[in-house]
Amino acid sequence: MKEVLKNYSGIIFLLGGIIIGSLIGIFAPDTVGYLKPLGDIFLNLLFVSVVPLVFFAVANSISQVEKEGKFGKIIFSMIFTFLLFIIIAALFTIAVVYFFPTEALPSTSPEKLDTGADVGWGNRIVSFFTVSEFTDLFSRKNMLALLIFAFLTGTAVRKAGETGRPFALFLTSGYEVMKELLLIVMKAAPIGLGAYFAYQVATVGPQLFGFYAKPLALYYVAGIVYFLLFFTLYAFFAKGKDGVQKFWKNNIYPSLTAISTCSSFATMPANLQAAARIGVPTAIANIVIPIGSTLHKNGSSMSSIIKIYVAFLIIGEDFFDPMNLLLALGITVFVSIVAGGIPNGGYIGEMLMISVYQLPVEAIPAVMILGTLVDPLATVLNSTGDTVAAMFVTKISGAKFTEPKDFAV
């Protein structure tokens, strides 16, 4: 019994915080305004800790992996895995909406959005990948630029040879220090996430029973099936029955964190911890999971298909026309990979959808509301998919699983 409490105490406390928060959100919604600051404080501490961790983890791992001559193979395996998982998720969702069609949603009043139309696409592309000031890199709003900078820094360290060795030691030391910092911050997770979950239940919960119940139910059922079935298959391919057992044993804490925060970024430390306990090599986990939190979105892939499907229901056109399906897959890949690294990337994906299909503007509010309401499960699929992706990359890159570690962040 003591061993069980030792191994699962973190999960038990976190689940307890979420349950208490949910009950408060349901039965005492007027009090959530006083609790939300606790959740905001915790998330802010988590975000400011994770940003430097991402830089140190990616830069340090790339500098080390290149020395072993495996860098190119790991990167290729990662790109292949991300694309494969995203496309499988999209095709699965298309099959679901084909075999389980829903009724058309009522159109909603047009809503004007700030789409950034006044900004040229050239400037927009530049802002996706770079920032103009060094200090702007260390913002969670510029994660794609930070990942690219960390990638280049790790490469430069390797090319600097012996003269770059002190800086390489700095990266290694910084990574270890930021791990310890995150362990300290995560001690407050049951309180912080419980408070934040109370706010979510009280504010978003009532909307679940409106006109969007059917497509929402379709997404949640399909998402849960995908989560249980396909993640199990991916884990089995990566490491057999042992991989399945270790993945699900260590995926509870990240899943609860994802549901509570609706943030892949905030779930990243829990994913890194799970990967270490599964036995994913540190060099692979520290590349695949941080990059995956921005560029690998199974849940967003599924929600993109659902939103396009609903938009076609609104205007009464055939979603299953072959050309429409091909365009839907293209938009989904863009939204899941490219827009995932952009602030408000979901809005950009929705604007792209409206533009490509020449849909009426009145479809925008419907897909926006759906995007908001599917966010909890989408985040679970987006974030925990990075852990099983790291397992998959380990397998196809030819790397070896290591002995599970008690902790790593």
Side-chain angles (χ1 to χ4, degrees):
M1 185 64 180
K2 289 183 179 179
E3 190 66 24
V4 172
L5 290 175
K6 179 182 177 182
N7 293 334
Y8 293 95
S9 60
I11 295 172
I12 293 171
F13 285 129
L14 182 59
L15 186 59
I18 290 174
I19 292 173
I20 293 171
S22 300
L23 294 175
I24 292 174
I26 294 172
F27 297 108
D30 294 338
T31 65
V32 299
Y34 300 101
L35 295 176
K36 186 174 180 291
L38 293 175
D40 290 336
I41 290 171
F42 170 74
L43 287 181
N44 288 342
L45 285 172
L46 189 61
F47 287 143
V48 298
S49 302
V50 170
V51 169
L53 174 70
V54 169
F55 170 74
F56 283 115
V58 174
N60 179 58
S61 292
I62 287 177
S63 66
Q64 297 298 324
V65 170
E66 282 201 316
K67 291 176 184 176
E68 300 172 11
K70 299 178 181 178
F71 175 69
K73 195 169 185 179
I74 289 175
I75 294 298
F76 175 80
S77 300
M78 179 183 68
I79 294 171
F80 171 79
T81 299
F82 287 176
L83 284 173
L84 177 66
F85 286 10
I86 288 169
I87 291 172
I88 289 175
L91 291 175
F92 173 73
T93 311
I94 290 173
V96 168
V97 298
Y98 179 80
F99 288 108
F100 302 97
T102 62
E103 297 176 1
L105 292 174
S107 61
T108 56
S109 58
E111 181 175 325
K112 184 179 176 66
L113 294 176
D114 182 9
T115 64
D118 57 328
V119 180
W121 275 102
N123 292 332
R124 191 179 280 276
I125 291 172
V126 170
S127 68
F128 292 168
F129 300 102
T130 60
V131 292
S132 59
E133 298 288 343
F134 177 78
T135 53
D136 292 340
L137 277 173
F138 292 90
S139 167
R140 64 189 178 93
K141 297 179 181 179
N142 299 315
M143 280 304 300
L144 188 56
L146 177 63
L147 288 170
I148 292 172
F149 181 74
F151 179 96
L152 295 175
T153 300
T155 303
V157 169
R158 198 271 306 172
K159 293 194 174 291
E162 278 302 310
T163 56
R165 186 169 179 78
F167 194 84
L169 293 175
F170 164 71
L171 292 176
T172 301
S173 177
Y175 169 61
E176 295 297 330
V177 169
M178 295 315 301
K179 283 202 304 181
E180 294 300 326
L181 175 59
L182 272 165
L183 282 175
I184 295 171
V185 172
M186 290 302 292
K187 297 290 186 184
I191 297 174
L193 298 184
Y196 201 78
F197 205 74
Y199 175 78
Q200 283 193 318
V201 170
T203 55
V204 180
Q207 299 180 52
L208 296 175
F209 303 101
F211 290 114
Y212 299 91
K214 275 200 170 182
L216 271 177
L218 191 65
Y219 180 86
Y220 275 90
V221 171
I224 291 171
V225 170
Y226 181 86
F227 179 61
L228 297 174
L229 176 61
F230 283 89
F231 282 14
T232 298
L233 292 175
Y234 298 152
F236 181 80
F237 176 84
K239 206 183 177 195
K241 292 182 179 179
D242 181 60
V244 173
Q245 181 182 3
K246 288 182 177 176
F247 172 73
W248 287 113
K249 177 182 177 181
N250 293 287
N251 196 45
I252 300 173
Y253 195 98
S255 299
L256 293 175
T257 303
I259 291 173
S260 303
T261 62
C262 287
S263 170
S264 297
F265 194 54
T267 311
M268 191 194 311
N271 283 335
L272 289 169
Q273 185 179 57
R277 289 175 173 169
I278 292 168
V280 176
T282 301
I284 291 179
N286 286 350
I287 293 174
V288 174
I289 290 176
I291 294 177
S293 69
T294 300
L295 304 179
H296 176 228
K297 308 282 187 180
N298 290 272
S300 296
S301 174
M302 297 184 72
S303 68
S304 174
I305 294 296
I306 290 288
K307 287 188 285 188
I308 295 172
Y309 174 65
V310 167
F312 271 79
L313 288 177
I314 291 175
I315 63 174
E317 294 190 10
D318 183 17
F319 169 72
F320 297 102
D321 179 86
M323 184 56 66
N324 288 338
L325 290 178
L326 285 175
L327 287 174
L329 284 174
I331 292 171
T332 295
V333 170
F334 174 85
V335 171
S336 303
I337 294 181
V338 180
I342 305 167
N344 295 322
Y347 292 165
I348 294 173
E350 287 155 9
M351 295 305 101
L352 178 65
M353 178 201 312
I354 299 297
S355 173
V356 168
Y357 289 114
Q358 297 183 345
L359 299 175
V361 177
E362 66 178 9
I364 297 176
V367 297
M368 281 186 63
I369 292 171
L370 279 175
T372 300
L373 296 180
V374 303
D375 199 36
L377 181 57
T379 305
V380 173
L381 295 171
N382 288 342
S383 57
T384 62
D386 296 335
T387 304
V388 77
M391 296 175 65
F392 200 88
V393 169
T394 302
K395 173 70 174 182
I396 66 175
S397 67
K400 301 294 184 183
F401 284 92
T402 62
E403 286 298 318
K405 301 175 183 177
D406 288 336
F407 83 98
V409 183

